[in-house]
Amino acid sequence: MTNNKKTLMITGGNSGLGLATAEKIAISNPEYRIILACRNKEKANSAVKKLQESTNNKNIIAMELDVSSLTSIRNFVSQYKTSDLGLLDGVLCNAGINGRNTGLTDDGFDIIFETNHLGHFLLTNMLIPYMQDNSRIVMVSSDMHNPPGQALKWLGVEALAYPNEHLSKDFVRYSYSKLCNLYFTYSLVEKLDSIPSKITVNAFNPGLLTDTNFSPDKSRFTDEFMQQIQDRIGTLEVSCVALANLMVNSKYDNLTGKYFDRGIETLSSPLSYNEENRAELWEKSIKYTNLSELDTLQILMK
């Protein structure tokens, strides 16, 4: 591999927060090559063309990746390994779906669990051997990992991966997937630190972005609901700037294991720091993805 430029990958970067963040980085940091890794290659190519024109930056490319498919993830990593794109300087795990999605993936897992957590678990683990020593990983989580008016209780990983009929229809599955993002973040920090590695791993909450298509059905955004979550509402402009900075700004060079709420470092929920829960998630995620020592760093298998 050659590495003439810094290379940053964004999952789900063809719209919304991912696209806006890519645009900010392309304008402010033209030394970065940006990869939009998206499920729909046609939409990704369209987004690339739009970004190249709006930023006057041609160092933006598209690659096909479906984080709800373990096969797609392995194919993506295999393609990346044989490319001339160089070692990665950053991975932004941004792709995700909202709580109104139901059903199972082709791998047999709950679609929200695999899309929002399990796919990024496999992808990140497999890409770490192809990352620079000082690269950055950022997980887009949500303050809904601690939903208003409802205290989450850990149900165990199997209940989230294979939910019963009641839970499969419950919007709370999204909250659990965002909690998994935090467990993954904090576990990965701990394991990389034991190597030791200078790769940083942080989590980011963009707030509820009512100005994107992430929640196309706005019928639930009643005045009463909006008042209840007023402090949780974000804007695309503020959040994409904060997220772009977290990916490329030198002030974050040595910060790891942090949770940023729209750019402000804060604490996540007490439940998100439970070590037994995150150890269970890590162990089961290895099993579910069939991750092996040939796929990733040996230390990450423990």
Side-chain angles (χ1 to χ4, degrees):
M1 290 185 179
T2 60
N3 190 26
N4 298 322
K5 280 187 169 291
K6 291 185 176 182
T7 303
L8 185 151
M9 187 192 75
I10 302 175
T11 65
N14 62 279
S15 63
L17 180 63
L19 179 64
T21 302
E23 183 175 38
K24 294 297 181 184
I25 295 173
I27 293 173
S28 62
N29 296 79
E31 71 274 17
Y32 277 86
R33 177 193 292 113
I34 301 174
I35 303 169
L36 302 186
C38 308
R39 179 177 57 183
N40 188 311
K41 189 68 179 292
E42 183 178 343
K43 290 183 179 179
N45 286 331
S46 177
V48 166
K49 182 178 179 181
K50 176 182 175 182
L51 283 175
Q52 288 179 341
E53 292 174 352
S54 66
T55 65
N56 198 30
N57 186 335
K58 303 303 180 184
N59 298 309
I60 307 169
I61 63 174
M63 293 181 69
E64 189 171 353
L65 170 66
D66 181 357
V67 291
S68 70
S69 165
L70 302 182
T71 298
S72 176
I73 292 166
R74 289 185 176 276
N75 289 341
F76 174 87
V77 174
S78 178
Q79 182 182 356
Y80 192 90
K81 284 163 55 177
T82 58
S83 73
D84 61 352
L85 294 171
L87 296 178
L88 283 159
D89 295 87
V91 174
L92 174 52
C93 296
N94 162 77
I97 56 176
N98 64 44
R100 294 187 180 273
N101 291 272
T102 59
L104 302 179
T105 66
D106 289 343
D107 298 309
F109 301 107
D110 175 75
I111 191 169
I112 295 179
F113 177 79
E114 183 165 2
T115 304
N116 291 1
H117 162 66
L118 195 62
H120 282 118
F121 174 89
L122 178 62
L123 176 69
T124 305
N125 269 282
M126 293 188 71
L127 286 178
I128 283 177
Y130 306 97
M131 298 181 72
Q132 299 282 3
D133 291 339
N134 62 343
S135 58
R136 303 180 186 187
I137 300 168
V138 174
M139 293 293 309
V140 175
S141 182
S142 168
D143 52 14
M144 286 300 291
H145 79 275
N146 186 28
Q150 182 176 6
L152 287 188
K153 294 182 179 179
W154 186 241
L155 303 175
V157 181
E158 289 192 6
L160 305 180
Y162 311 108
N164 59 35
E165 183 178 354
H166 170 70
L167 185 61
S168 68
K169 298 178 180 178
D170 196 329
F171 187 80
V172 77
R173 289 179 306 128
Y174 176 78
S175 293
Y176 280 113
S177 74
K178 297 290 100 178
L179 177 62
C180 288
N181 291 158
L182 292 169
Y183 283 149
F184 178 37
T185 297
Y186 299 148
S187 291
L188 187 55
V189 168
E190 184 179 80
K191 292 177 183 297
L192 289 173
D193 186 57
S194 67
I195 295 178
S197 169
K198 293 182 180 178
I199 294 176
T200 63
V201 191
N202 292 294
F204 179 82
N205 165 44
L208 174 61
L209 302 180
T210 59
D211 49 351
T212 71
N213 63 357
F214 184 75
S215 297
D217 180 8
K218 302 296 193 294
S219 61
R220 66 188 180 93
F221 294 163
T222 62
D223 291 342
E224 182 181 358
F225 176 76
M226 296 302 284
Q227 186 173 4
Q228 184 182 16
I229 63 163
Q230 188 171 9
D231 62 333
R232 294 173 176 242
I233 299 173
T235 66
L236 182 60
E237 178 60 25
V238 169
S239 292
C240 75
V241 170
L243 186 52
N245 285 335
L246 192 56
M247 290 303 303
V248 300
N249 194 301
S250 60
K251 74 185 247 184
Y252 299 108
D253 281 349
N254 301 309
L255 278 180
T256 192
K258 307 298 183 183
Y259 173 66
F260 292 88
D261 183 353
R262 288 158 285 184
I264 300 173
E265 182 184 335
T266 186
L267 294 176
S268 51
S269 70
L271 182 61
S272 69
Y273 295 106
N274 185 291
E275 295 183 4
E276 291 183 3
N277 294 349
R278 62 182 174 89
E280 180 199 0
L281 180 66
W282 190 277
E283 179 183 353
K284 289 291 180 63
S285 295
I286 288 177
K287 176 184 176 182
Y288 292 159
T289 59
N290 291 314
L291 191 71
S292 75
E293 291 184 3
L294 297 177
D295 294 325
T296 189
L297 302 182
Q298 185 174 355
I299 191 68
L300 300 180
M301 295 299 298
K302 299 179 180 179

